[in-house]
Amino acid sequence: MAAISFNPRLNVQGGRKNHGVVVEEIAGLIRVYGDGHVERPPIIPSAPCMVTNGVVSKDVAIEKFTNLWTRIYVPSYSSKMPLLVYFHGGGFCVGSASWRCYHEFLAALASKAGCVVLSLNYRLAPENRLPAAYDDGINSLMWVKQEARNGTNEHKWWLNQCRFSSLFLAGDSAGANIAYNVAIRSYGISGSSIKPLILKGMILIQPFFGGEERTISEMHATQPANSALSLSVFDTYWRLSLPLGANRDHPWCNPLAEGAITLRELKLPAAMVCISEKDILKDRNLEFCNALASAGKWVETRMYEGVGHAFQILHNSQFSQIRTQEMMAHLKAFIKQ
């Protein structure tokens, strides 16, 4: 897979005079104007649904009012497979389930891990600040629950391949944050609310957590030259996605903040947390894993050396291909155990 890089010069032209001053911008990815208008340059190409290495993919609408939809990946296995619901990254503000980089990653994961994958296309901030993405995640699970119970002919092509007693919530970066918060809502409060689905685990890849107090890796991490996440970008995403007036110690950003529900109080499924050695989020991810373990939760921590944030999606490091294969093997083992 070719590397994907962000070009700051790729911007949507025009519109400045019509929409006033630019109040927030991440070069090449998103521009927010004073009147609320948002521009997202098409920096990453979309991939059409297709058969990839024996994996069939189709786009399915979940809720038309919010334009919530999913891309479903079904590999050709003879037996029923675990179901993995995946949330893409992008700081809650950019990204799509149709992005080519996610299509290729998830088609490969479905094939290698032997699981049905539902890749959710949730609402983005700042037009839809948190908890909109969490709400979309819960609504998606409720939709899957209803489909699993009622099973319309239209969806038998993927429903008949699922083992609903093995559900996993997964995501990378902001998507990992969504997976965690959806897990809390659906499993931690009332595990019976999603039956016949049984949540067996959550896979958090470079989870996008923050806090007001900086960590050492946030301030001093040695990142790849074309890193997907700098400290300024990190801060901008949180300003655009948190409720107005909230800071980075809001529980949705910092699950370990004072005043947040303690991990010991939560009923959580087994967790796998994937961390990148050169990611500014490394220390915060490790702190989260240690907190899970201290609270008596089952957590598997995996560290990927020599790579930065979203390496498995953007392939922006010389070690990306090797580390991605390692990650695929780890994900398969976690899903199959």
Side-chain angles (χ1 to χ4, degrees), residues 30-333:
I30 187 170
R31 177 183 289 160
V32 182
Y33 291 87
D35 67 350
H37 178 75
V38 178
E39 293 173 350
R40 294 180 178 88
I43 192 169
I44 296 178
S46 293
C49 292
M50 63 186 82
V51 178
T52 307
N53 297 324
V55 177
V56 175
S57 62
K58 294 182 182 180
D59 292 341
V60 176
I62 295 176
E63 186 178 277
K64 292 183 179 179
F65 179 74
T66 58
N67 195 30
L68 177 61
W69 59 272
T70 181
R71 179 163 293 188
I72 303 177
Y73 300 85
V74 181
S76 55
Y77 277 65
S78 57
S79 57
K80 289 184 180 291
M81 296 168 279
L83 173 62
L84 186 144
V85 176
Y86 194 92
F87 302 91
H88 67 76
F92 307 104
C93 298
V94 299
S96 170
S98 68
W99 272 9
R100 185 185 68 195
C101 51
Y102 280 108
H103 180 91
E104 293 174 348
F105 176 74
L106 293 175
L109 178 61
S111 175
K112 293 178 181 180
C115 60
V116 175
V117 177
L118 270 64
S119 177
L120 273 300
N121 203 74
Y122 54 87
R123 287 172 292 171
L124 299 176
E127 302 96 323
N128 301 281
R129 290 175 176 266
L130 296 174
Y134 305 154
D135 293 341
D136 287 348
I138 289 295
N139 289 340
S140 298
L141 285 189
M142 295 301 103
W143 176 79
V144 173
K145 178 184 77 171
Q146 290 302 322
E147 291 297 329
R149 286 180 172 178
N150 303 327
T152 61
N153 289 331
E154 180 185 3
H155 296 298
K156 281 185 176 179
W157 66 275
W158 65 273
L159 288 170
N160 288 348
Q161 306 303 314
C162 294
R163 189 166 70 245
F164 295 112
S165 59
S166 294
L167 169 68
F168 293 84
L169 295 177
D172 66 291
S173 193
N177 178 302
I178 297 169
Y180 172 71
N181 279 282
V182 171
I184 290 174
R185 292 188 180 193
S186 61
Y187 185 88
I189 298 173
S190 174
S192 63
S193 65
I194 60 171
K195 286 184 178 180
L197 308 179
I198 299 178
L199 182 56
K200 299 295 288 291
M202 54 183 180
I203 298 170
L204 311 180
I205 302 173
Q206 303 134 3
F208 194 65
F209 295 133
E212 285 297 302
E213 184 178 349
R214 302 294 194 190
T215 66
I216 292 175
S217 64
E218 285 171 354
M219 295 187 294
H220 303 297
T222 302
Q223 301 182 77
N226 56 344
S227 173
L229 188 65
S230 65
L231 191 58
S232 63
V233 168
F234 169 86
D235 288 347
T236 301
Y237 279 142
W238 282 119
R239 285 196 302 272
L240 291 174
S241 59
L242 283 170
L244 292 173
N247 66 21
R248 292 191 308 276
D249 278 333
H250 189 289
W252 294 338
C253 176
N254 185 358
L256 307 182
E258 184 177 348
I261 300 174
T262 64
L263 295 178
R264 194 171 295 277
E265 293 177 72
L266 293 172
K267 187 178 180 182
L268 291 170
M272 177 180 180
V273 182
C274 301
I275 305 171
S276 295
E277 181 190 23
K278 294 189 175 183
D279 190 354
I280 66 170
L281 300 180
K282 181 185 75 171
D283 289 350
R284 205 168 291 280
N285 288 175
L286 286 170
E287 181 184 18
F288 178 71
C289 291
N290 292 335
L292 284 175
S294 297
K297 310 303 180 185
W298 197 100
V299 57
E300 177 181 335
T301 304
R302 294 288 185 175
M303 179 71 72
Y304 299 92
E305 298 180 356
V307 287
H309 195 74
F311 72 89
Q312 75 286 352
I313 298 297
L314 301 179
H315 295 276
N316 54 0
S317 162
Q318 60 179 326
F319 302 111
S320 291
Q321 296 287 354
I322 296 173
R323 297 294 178 260
T324 300
Q325 293 308 308
E326 292 175 1
M327 178 182 285
M328 288 283 186
H330 295 153
L331 297 179
K332 177 181 179 179

